[in-house]
């Protein structure tokens, strides 16, 4: 899948090799795999996690936002602020 996370003035993430994604909305944490049904939801302030096919993981703290899945192959997140990094503990503190 392809993941694109955008802020008002820039693209924070554009990753075309995503095997799975985990995010959080008002109902709780949820996962997205390739082939997922189309979806749109409002995210809470949280850390989005995604895994590549090789097993490596990435994280990005988002300050709320809107997540959409299109065609089971594209996940887009529009947020006011995104902070990506390799240190999960630091990102959770930022949230």
């Amino acid at each position: 899948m392809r993941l694109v996370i955008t802020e008002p003035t820039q693209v924070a993430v554009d990753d075309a090799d995503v095997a799975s994604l985990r995010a959080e909305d008002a109902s709780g944490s949820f996962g997205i795999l390739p082939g997922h049904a189309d979806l749109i939801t409002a995210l809470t302030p949280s850390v989005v996690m995604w895994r590549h096919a090789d097993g490596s993981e990435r994280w990005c703290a988002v300050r709320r936002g809107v997540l959409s899945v299109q065609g089971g192959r594209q996940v887009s997140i529009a947020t006011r602020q995104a902070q990506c990094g390799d240190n999960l503990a630091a990102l959770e503190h930022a949230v």
Side-chain angles (χ1 to χ4, degrees):
M1 292 185 300
R2 182 175 182 193
L3 170 64
V4 178
I5 301 176
T6 57
E7 296 176 294
T9 61
Q10 68 179 351
V11 175
V13 173
D14 188 351
D15 196 340
D17 183 33
V18 176
S20 65
L21 179 132
R22 199 127 196 94
E24 188 174 328
D25 64 9
S27 67
S29 180
F30 61 92
I32 297 174
L33 296 171
H36 195 286
D38 288 357
L39 167 75
I40 189 164
T41 189
L43 298 178
T44 58
S46 57
V47 176
V48 176
M49 185 279 293
W50 64 98
R51 184 171 290 135
H52 293 111
D54 67 5
S56 62
E57 295 180 344
R58 298 276 304 160
W59 300 277
C60 190
V62 295
R63 185 178 162 208
R64 298 194 176 112
V66 176
L67 177 145
S68 63
V69 178
Q70 302 97 21
R73 303 208 32 86
Q74 170 89 19
V75 179
S76 301
I77 299 173
T79 183
R80 304 271 305 147
Q81 185 178 14
Q83 181 178 345
C84 299
D86 295 328
N87 186 332
L88 180 57
L91 289 175
E92 286 177 337
H93 179 71
V95 170

